[in-house]
């Protein structure tokens, strides 16, 4: 088989696969599941959902900070005691250091998620209040305009 023949076969096979390549996991309209499309096909997020994610992130942060540090002292002590006589002491010290770094990274991420969602909640509430105020002032302007046009 020549290169051109093989290449054409590969291109044809790729073209056939391409039609199924970008499928999203979604049940048909009668199915159910977690995905609920809106009329425009966009995802919707409710404030309650965001609050639950933020609360879960805060809870995980607190639990990791409290429970994730239990083994640090005993592991560090064991590493110091074993370093002089055994190579595993240095390895245990390395594992303990890496654990602390990873634990700090994870707790920072949880705190960031929780803080961001709390900020988003407050910002959204402020935006809603601002928009509501604008509409109320527009309503007042409309009333004044209607009254003025009736006088003429």
């Amino acid at each position: 088989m020549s290169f051109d023949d093989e290449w054409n076969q590969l291109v044809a096979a790729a073209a056939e696969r391409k039609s199924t390549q970008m499928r999203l996991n979604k049940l048909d309209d009668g199915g159910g599941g977690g995905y609920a499309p809106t009329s425009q096909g966009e995802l919707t997020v409710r404030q309650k959902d965001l609050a639950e994610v933020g609360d879960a992130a805060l809870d995980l942060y607190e639990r990791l900070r409290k429970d994730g540090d239990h083994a640090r002292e005993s592991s560090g002590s064991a590493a110091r005691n074993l370093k002089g006589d055994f190579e595993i002491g240095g390895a245990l010290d390395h594992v303990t250091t890496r654990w602390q770094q990873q634990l700090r990274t994870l707790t920072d991420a949880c705190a960031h998620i929780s803080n961001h969602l709390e900020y988003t909640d407050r910002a959204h509430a402020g935006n809603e209040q601002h928009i509501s105020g604008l509409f109320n002032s527009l309503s007042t302007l409309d009333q004044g305009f209607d009254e003025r046009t009736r006088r003429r």
Side-chain angles (χ1 to χ4, degrees):
M1 177 182 295
S2 73
F3 173 79
D4 289 333
D5 293 336
E6 186 176 357
W7 179 255
N8 289 333
Q9 282 182 345
L10 291 172
V11 168
E16 287 177 25
R17 284 193 312 269
K18 188 172 181 144
S19 65
T20 61
Q21 187 176 11
M22 254 327 257
R23 288 187 183 171
L24 297 177
N25 290 335
K26 176 186 166 212
L27 296 175
D28 60 28
D29 292 337
Y35 175 72
T38 63
S39 60
Q40 293 85 20
E42 297 177 7
L43 296 175
T44 59
V45 177
R46 291 175 184 78
Q47 201 60 34
K48 180 183 172 209
D49 299 330
L50 293 177
E52 288 175 4
V53 171
D55 291 346
L58 180 61
D59 183 50
L60 182 58
Y61 167 81
E62 290 172 350
R63 288 181 51 214
L64 282 170
R65 212 182 74 208
K66 177 183 171 191
D67 298 336
D69 201 33
H70 281 307
R72 181 184 49 83
E73 190 175 315
S74 59
S75 297
S77 175
R80 284 188 299 279
N81 291 337
L82 292 171
K83 261 186 185 176
D85 299 324
F86 301 99
E87 288 183 22
I88 197 167
L92 184 56
D93 187 44
H94 175 75
V95 167
T96 302
T97 301
R98 292 292 296 174
W99 171 258
Q100 289 305 115
Q101 292 169 344
Q102 295 299 319
L103 182 62
R104 192 174 318 117
T105 299
L106 188 55
T107 55
D108 287 350
C110 289
H112 180 74
I113 291 167
S114 177
N115 291 340
H116 179 72
L117 289 174
E118 187 175 317
Y119 168 79
T120 301
D121 183 31
R122 277 190 253 128
H124 179 69
N127 288 342
E128 286 293 319
Q129 187 176 12
H130 176 73
I131 290 169
S132 176
L134 286 176
F135 279 119
N136 288 338
S137 63
L138 288 175
S139 172
T140 304
L141 287 173
D142 284 345
Q143 288 174 351
F145 180 75
D146 291 342
E147 288 174 11
R148 196 174 75 215
T149 56
R150 280 188 231 142
R151 288 186 210 158
R152 291 182 179 183

